Amino acid sequence: EVQLQASGGGLVQAGGSLRLSCAASGFTDDVNAIGWFRQVPGADREGVSCISMRDGSTYYADSVQGRFSISTDKANNTVNLQMNGLKYEDTAVYYCAGRTFYSSDLYVGYDKWGQGTQVTVSS
């Protein structure tokens, strides 16, 4: 069973940057993509970004396009999310998840979840 752990969250001023990491351990062969999601209490979970483990293709939600960048560090079995130009509305708990099922929806099919890390952007 694959385990994913998100880290790197914290408190940052608006306009600042954070780098989140998702470390994978255990059996990862069935994971075809890693996604980053965020959730605010009372709101629906939002897919932020994802990256294909097959060809490295990357995708971003409109709300973070041009500000966030997802990448892999294969040597360390890690997926990173570089977040620049942070806004107050980026405040959320961020989760990384592994995708094992294919879907036409980029943010469907994730069934391996980490615990999440809090990102708070002050205004």
Side-chain angles (χ1 to χ4, degrees):
E1 181 77 9
V2 62
Q3 290 83 44
L4 302 175
Q5 184 159 347
S7 62
L11 175 64
V12 65
Q13 297 180 41
S17 299
L18 283 173
R19 189 176 185 87
L20 305 184
S21 295
C22 178
S25 61
F27 183 76
T28 61
D29 290 359
D30 61 344
V31 177
N32 59 69
I34 295 292
W36 284 97
F37 300 79
R38 64 188 182 187
Q39 189 165 28
V40 177
D44 293 334
R45 185 175 62 205
E46 177 188 15
V48 175
S49 180
C50 60
I51 184 167
S52 170
M53 296 293 100
R54 294 186 303 164
D55 61 12
S57 299
T58 59
Y59 307 90
Y60 301 93
D62 290 344
S63 58
V64 306
Q65 182 71 48
R67 300 187 296 119
F68 291 9
S69 179
I70 191 170
S71 63
T72 61
D73 181 355
K74 295 187 181 299
N76 293 302
N77 296 313
T78 300
V79 171
N80 298 311
L81 184 69
Q82 179 67 44
M83 306 187 296
N84 298 324
L86 284 164
K87 305 174 180 179
Y88 177 77
E89 52 264 42
D90 294 319
T91 296
V93 177
Y94 283 71
Y95 300 87
C96 64
R99 191 187 196 217
T100 61
F101 300 98
Y102 286 98
S103 173
S104 59
D105 189 328
L106 290 171
Y107 297 103
V108 170
Y110 298 83
D111 62 347
K112 311 295 183 182
W113 292 84
Q115 288 185 292
T117 185
Q118 176 71 49
V119 171
T120 303
V121 183
S122 62
S123 60

